[in-house]
Amino acid sequence: MDDYFSAIRPYSEKEATEAFKQLFQCEDFINALRLFEPKINVEKILKEAHNYQSIYDFQKAVAKDFVEYFIDETTAGVTFSGLENLDPNKNYLFLANHRDIVFDTALLQYYFMVNDYQTSKIAIGDNLLATPLLEVVGKINKMITVKRSVSIREKLENYRILSEYIHYSIEKERQSVWIAQRNGRTKNGIDKTQHGLMKMLSMSDSKDAVASLKKINIVPVSVSYELEVCDNLKARELAISEHMTYEKKPGEDFESIRQGLFGQKGRVSLVIGKVINDELDTIPDDMLAKDKIEMACDIADRQIYANYQLYPTNYIAYDLLHETDDFANHYTIEEKESFVTYLNNQSICPDVTEKKMQSNLLQIYANPVKIIENK
């Protein structure tokens, strides 16, 4: 079965062991590690590299320290909850809102590691594999490669194989999987599961989409940032997309990864929800297939927003955008002044007007309030 999925699967334990050896002999990788000294003890990592006997060993000894570094350096604290919703003897499809390319899933894996819980596989687009080194590091960390393609025929085939592999991982290998609820980061602050993605997850059973979805135990995951990572990049892309098809420049995805990791995020919340199987059972059998998929999306989205954390930045943005003080009791004058200064700095852009950038930035932060508060 591994050969069938060879183009998208992560390294096996045996392959990962070989990859560890090559990785810790790679000058570029070692130099990259040294950029984080003295916060991270690189000498200790290098000295103990030969002791890693499994992917989990590597993640707890190396990856965990790096996630911890970014939590300490780029956030004002992260709150985690929801692990109690999981049965350690079961495996899940973690369906998450998608605000940042790397940090969203890194936080979930960190939450697992600090609680001695097995990490999950992670589905990431091949457009993010900017270098062979990144690909190796990704595949060591259980990365499933999501193939991006141009033609409809290729896309359908890629979706079919991805769906089969996700079901194979959860049902046969007994390993959980993380996937974002949409292709690409949420750019306007509205977290909505893509119909096509939920349809892909249901492909293992062409006759009963709901039964197929129940087999993988979908658990919605909510990640909330006080300061949206890459908000200026998102606001610019939204502005340009209004007039033309937005085309990424070479290196743009890598810049998003860099800014997403190193950018300041303020407070962050990650909440693991509950399996949606009981709610999936409420979907009528006589409903059209496409409507069943849409209802499944709505079920997941409701839980994502039920567990979403609103911050003063969200409420301030809503009041500024609508010229009201409806939510003034959720923030202080000092917090408002600080956020306005932040927005002014983020609105500086060479090819989009400051006014348009301001409007888009406010929408990014205000839209969650509109949905959660039913405004």
Side-chain angles (χ1 to χ4, degrees):
M1 207 56 161
D2 273 358
D3 288 339
Y4 179 68
F5 296 123
S6 60
I8 66 169
R9 67 171 177 80
Y11 288 139
S12 65
E13 291 288 351
K14 182 178 179 181
E15 291 167 334
T17 303
E18 290 301 312
F20 298 153
K21 296 175 184 176
Q22 296 174 22
L23 200 57
F24 287 103
Q25 292 173 359
C26 173
E27 188 175 339
D28 287 343
F29 181 68
I30 294 172
N31 288 339
L33 293 181
R34 294 201 184 282
L35 294 174
F36 297 90
E37 292 179 319
K39 289 289 182 79
I40 291 178
N41 190 336
V42 176
E43 290 306 320
K44 181 174 180 290
I45 289 173
L46 295 175
K47 183 179 179 180
E48 297 178 355
H50 66 281
N51 293 329
Y52 307 145
Q53 299 299 312
S54 69
I55 291 171
Y56 193 66
D57 285 347
F58 173 85
Q59 290 182 318
K60 289 206 76 170
V62 182
K64 177 175 168 288
D65 284 353
F66 278 87
V67 180
E68 215 158 62
Y69 170 88
F70 286 111
I71 289 174
D72 292 343
E73 295 295 315
T74 73
T75 80
V78 182
T79 58
F80 297 95
S81 62
L83 197 63
E84 68 278 3
N85 294 328
L86 307 180
D87 181 341
N89 298 312
K90 292 185 178 180
N91 299 281
Y92 304 92
L93 186 286
F94 297 107
L95 182 69
N97 64 329
H98 190 23
R99 295 305 182 90
D100 182 63
I101 294 168
V102 174
F103 206 65
D104 292 350
T105 184
L107 287 175
L108 181 64
Q109 307 313 315
Y110 178 80
Y111 187 30
F112 289 151
M113 285 186 280
V114 296
N115 287 281
D116 295 321
Y117 199 97
Q118 276 297 318
T119 54
S120 73
K121 294 182 181 181
I122 56 175
I124 294 182
D126 60 1
N127 57 306
L128 304 179
L129 307 178
T131 67
L133 180 58
L134 281 177
E135 183 173 6
V136 170
V137 173
K139 293 178 79 169
I140 286 175
N141 284 285
K142 304 185 182 181
M143 181 191 71
I144 301 169
T145 305
V146 179
K147 297 285 186 179
R148 306 297 189 198
S149 57
V150 178
S151 73
I152 297 297
R153 179 178 294 181
E154 285 178 326
K155 184 176 290 187
L156 288 173
E157 178 63 9
N158 291 343
Y159 264 21
R160 182 186 64 78
I161 294 173
L162 178 60
S163 181
E164 287 183 20
Y165 185 66
I166 288 172
H167 279 263
Y168 173 72
S169 296
I170 296 171
E171 297 173 46
K172 304 296 183 183
E173 291 188 314
R174 313 299 298 167
Q175 292 192 47
S176 296
V177 176
W178 174 96
I179 195 168
Q181 67 177 172
R182 54 180 296 121
N183 294 331
R185 299 159 299 158
T186 302
K187 297 178 180 66
N188 58 3
I190 299 174
D191 296 308
K192 185 168 177 57
T193 302
Q194 281 184 333
H195 183 102
L197 186 131
M198 189 68 79
K199 183 177 180 180
M200 177 274 290
L201 294 173
S202 74
M203 281 182 174
S204 73
D205 189 335
S206 59
K207 294 182 180 179
D208 193 338
V210 173
S212 181
L213 293 174
K214 287 178 64 179
K215 290 177 184 176
I216 54 176
N217 300 318
I218 296 173
V219 173
V221 176
S222 306
V223 185
S224 321
Y225 295 89
E226 186 172 20
L227 295 175
E228 281 281 342
V229 281
C230 303
D231 54 9
N232 58 337
L233 301 180
K234 295 175 184 180
R236 175 181 175 272
E237 184 173 336
L238 284 171
I240 293 173
S241 298
E242 289 182 5
H243 307 289
M244 64 183 74
T245 301
Y246 186 84
E247 294 185 7
K248 291 182 181 178
K249 296 178 181 179
E252 195 166 325
D253 283 324
F254 185 78
E255 172 56 24
S256 294
I257 292 174
R258 188 200 65 76
Q259 186 168 319
L261 284 173
F262 289 93
Q264 291 299 312
K265 306 165 183 70
R267 289 170 288 181
V268 180
S269 165
L270 182 142
V271 181
I272 298 173
K274 298 180 180 180
V275 180
I276 65 172
N277 285 356
D278 288 346
E279 291 171 277
L280 291 176
D281 281 336
T282 66
I283 298 176
D285 291 335
D286 58 354
M287 185 176 277
L288 292 174
K290 66 179 181 65
D291 293 330
K292 288 182 178 181
I293 295 296
E294 199 58 42
M295 192 169 174
C297 290
D298 291 341
I299 289 169
D301 293 345
R302 283 199 299 271
Q303 196 171 148
I304 285 174
Y305 270 112
N307 292 325
Y308 192 89
Q309 174 68 54
L310 292 173
Y311 291 105
T313 50
N314 301 110
Y315 292 115
I316 294 166
Y318 182 93
D319 281 354
L320 288 173
L321 188 66
H322 299 282
E323 299 181 344
T324 71
D325 58 359
D326 290 356
F327 296 104
N329 61 320
H330 288 280
Y331 54 85
T332 66
I333 294 174
E334 291 76 18
E335 286 173 329
K336 183 175 181 179
E337 290 175 348
S338 176
F339 188 54
V340 168
T341 299
Y342 171 83
L343 289 175
N344 289 337
N345 291 332
Q346 296 300 93
S347 297
I348 299 171
C349 181
D351 51 0
V352 177
T353 66
E354 184 176 348
K355 182 179 180 181
K356 187 61 182 175
M357 285 290 290
Q358 282 269 1
S359 175
N360 286 351
L361 286 165
L362 288 174
Q363 290 283 356
I364 288 170
Y365 286 94
N367 280 332
V369 178
K370 292 181 184 179
I371 296 169
I372 294 170
E373 301 285 353
N374 295 316
K375 286 288 183 177

